[in-house]
Amino acid sequence: MSTVMLSTATLAAPAAESRPTDPNRLVRFALRADADPGTLPRVLELFAKRGLVPLSLSSRLLGDELAVEVETSGMVAAESNHVGNCLRQIPMVLTVTVTERTVPVDLPAAAE
């Protein structure tokens, strides 16, 4: 006769934020892309998988092209450079411009 032992799993709290952040830094990604239904989901995926919710997002259809701007805060330079390069790898993206500005930490980003 064999004995079966049951064990229970204990769930731990999620790990603290592990990516470096810079709360004073606002980054704007401006891109032109083919007007394709898959463009916006692919662009936003790069922010969502980093746990980021953009401060602002706009897209405008200009003929057969889509002009998209995404602004977010808290990214360090290495991360925003990486996201810019990832955006350039999306097949329907034609151009990407990444700009940044610094705001005082005591001012909310929406007040800018």
Side-chain angles (χ1 to χ4, degrees):
M1 176 173 190
S2 65
T3 304
V4 176
M5 299 197 65
L6 298 177
S7 64
T8 58
T10 303
L11 298 177
E17 181 69 42
S18 61
R19 62 185 252 298
T21 60
D22 182 351
N24 298 37
R25 193 164 178 268
L26 292 176
V27 183
R28 178 175 289 138
F29 299 87
L31 57 107
R32 290 287 182 116
D34 294 333
D36 182 279
T39 301
L40 283 175
R42 288 181 182 197
V43 167
L44 291 176
E45 175 186 26
L46 294 172
F47 298 92
K49 72 184 198 178
R50 288 168 176 77
L52 296 170
V53 176
L55 296 172
S56 67
L57 166 68
S58 69
S59 71
R60 182 171 301 267
L61 187 60
L62 305 170
D64 60 350
E65 288 184 10
L66 192 62
V68 180
E69 286 191 10
V70 180
E71 187 174 71
T72 188
S73 65
M75 290 180 132
V76 295
E79 185 177 31
S80 60
N81 290 338
H82 178 71
V83 169
N85 289 331
C86 290
L87 288 168
R88 291 178 186 95
Q89 298 301 313
I90 298 173
M92 59 278 281
V93 171
L94 306 170
T95 63
V96 176
T97 304
V98 181
T99 56
E100 67 176 83
R101 62 190 170 123
T102 302
V103 295
V105 77
D106 58 339
L107 289 179
E112 289 296 307

